[in-house]
Amino acid sequence: MKVNLFLVLSHLSAVLAGGYQGCLERVLLFNAYEIDGLNDEKDQTIGFKCAKADTKTKSCTQWNACKPKKNSGRTRCNFDDLMVFLGKTPTPNGWSVNGSDGKLDPEGTAKQCYKLFANGPGKNPKVPNFPPYVAVKDAWEFNDYIKRVGDTVNNAYKNKGNSGNRGFWDSFDATLDKVSEARAGDHGPHLVQEAKAQLGGKMDIQIQKLGSGNNPATGEVWETVDWKETAKQAKDKGVPDVDKEIQGFLKNFYGGSNKQAKDHRVVIQSYKRVTDRSRSCR
């Protein structure tokens, strides 16, 4: 099996929504919102909600900006304000976790967010998605939303970034890494289960831990298929057509009738493009 295929495989595990990962994406949005606040007001696009969205024509006649809580003395929304602005959110109760630099701690904040959703009035540990058009101007599809957020963050760095505000981008990049880790970790068990069901009779499916190894909010194990080691051991045992078998499985799993897996792959690739572009411009 070619090395470049393994590099691709490492980015195929994704999950579209849910739990701790859904909360991390909210933190990522706030990171981007803070960065967009450095732009001139007329150029800002993040933290805007369509007052009356037409999702069929993907059009909006009025975009409303997030406003801070009354009598807060702030001119911009904090994390609590933005979460309420997105809708379907439990009543904030100390959501924000601030480090010594005043920035959100992504893991700590996401864990608090998850706890509020899971134990709040709705008791919804899945953490419902918010539609893109309640967060970013002119964003109607989730992958376009990811691209717009990434482009805004990177363009702001080119035009507004300096040594004094570098922390904004450090926070965004750190949260982005955690989003990718959580997506892979959440999806891993499904990929392992299907790989064992489809290929287990022909080769031993090897497992590897992902990232920190556990979901920080639930303790669930984060693991996925170690394709490189699986292929190596199968070839050492003389299993025929190992590369063809694995490629066939992946083609069917991510490109067949399994629309959910296909959508997952597209989303994780969108985040990977944002990560690659961010690293190249920093």
Side-chain angles (χ1 to χ4, degrees):
M1 179 174 283
K2 296 179 181 179
V3 174
N4 62 351
L5 176 59
F6 292 119
L7 293 176
V8 172
L9 295 178
S10 67
H11 298 290
L12 292 185
S13 298
V15 63
L16 192 58
Y20 171 72
Q21 169 255 306
C23 282
L24 277 175
E25 290 195 329
R26 284 164 162 77
V27 178
L28 188 70
L29 175 65
F30 181 70
N31 293 153
Y33 172 77
E34 287 194 300
I35 290 171
D36 193 33
L38 300 174
N39 290 321
D40 294 339
E41 188 172 347
K42 63 182 178 60
D43 298 323
Q44 293 170 8
T45 60
I46 296 177
F48 286 84
K49 177 188 296 185
C50 182
K52 189 175 182 180
D54 188 333
T55 56
K56 290 185 178 180
T57 62
K58 299 179 180 179
S59 61
C60 180
T61 56
Q62 181 181 339
W63 292 95
N64 294 334
C66 182
K67 299 295 183 183
K69 188 176 181 178
K70 289 183 179 180
N71 302 319
S72 67
R74 290 179 280 102
T75 59
R76 296 273 294 171
C77 289
N78 64 8
F79 183 68
D80 294 357
D81 298 328
L82 187 61
M83 295 306 96
V84 173
F85 182 74
L86 294 178
K88 296 183 179 180
T89 302
T91 302
N93 181 20
W95 286 56
S96 302
V97 179
N98 295 313
S100 59
D101 61 354
K103 300 294 186 295
L104 292 180
D105 165 48
E107 182 175 311
T109 306
K111 286 167 69 175
Q112 281 196 344
C113 165
Y114 176 81
K115 186 176 181 180
L116 281 172
F117 271 102
N119 300 327
K123 293 189 181 301
N124 190 355
K126 291 185 178 179
V127 185
N129 271 342
F130 53 84
Y133 54 82
V134 306
V136 175
K137 275 186 180 180
D138 297 318
W140 299 94
E141 304 295 340
F142 195 65
N143 289 291
D144 181 50
Y145 158 84
I146 295 171
K147 182 180 184 298
R148 286 176 182 273
V149 167
D151 287 348
T152 296
V153 168
N154 289 334
N155 289 336
Y157 183 77
K158 295 175 185 176
N159 299 319
K160 304 287 184 177
N162 57 59
S163 58
N165 59 27
R166 176 61 190 251
F168 287 117
W169 285 272
D170 289 343
S171 295
F172 179 87
D173 293 343
T175 307
L176 181 59
D177 286 343
K178 287 187 177 294
V179 167
S180 297
E181 177 186 70
R183 284 177 166 272
D186 286 348
H187 182 61
H190 305 289
L191 180 61
V192 169
Q193 181 180 13
E194 193 66 20
K196 286 183 175 180
Q198 299 297 325
L199 296 174
K202 302 172 184 177
M203 61 189 76
D204 294 328
I205 304 301
Q206 302 301 307
I207 309 301
Q208 64 179 353
K209 277 191 172 185
L210 283 167
S212 59
N214 295 91
N215 183 317
T218 66
E220 292 176 302
V221 175
W222 277 348
E223 60 184 17
T224 191
V225 178
D226 185 337
W227 290 111
K228 187 174 183 179
E229 188 61 26
T230 296
K232 179 181 181 301
Q233 291 193 19
K235 289 178 180 179
D236 290 345
K237 292 180 179 179
V239 176
D241 300 323
V242 173
D243 296 353
K244 183 178 179 181
E245 291 285 355
I246 292 177
Q247 290 174 345
F249 163 76
L250 291 167
K251 182 178 180 181
N252 181 64
F253 186 68
Y254 289 108
S257 59
N258 190 337
K259 183 179 183 301
Q260 188 177 35
K262 188 187 301 183
D263 290 343
H264 292 170
R265 181 183 181 183
V266 172
V267 169
I268 201 65
Q269 287 176 330
S270 293
Y271 273 117
K272 184 179 184 300
R273 281 192 288 271
V274 172
T275 300
D276 291 344
R277 288 169 182 165
S278 296
R279 287 174 178 166
S280 66
C281 80
R282 303 282 193 274

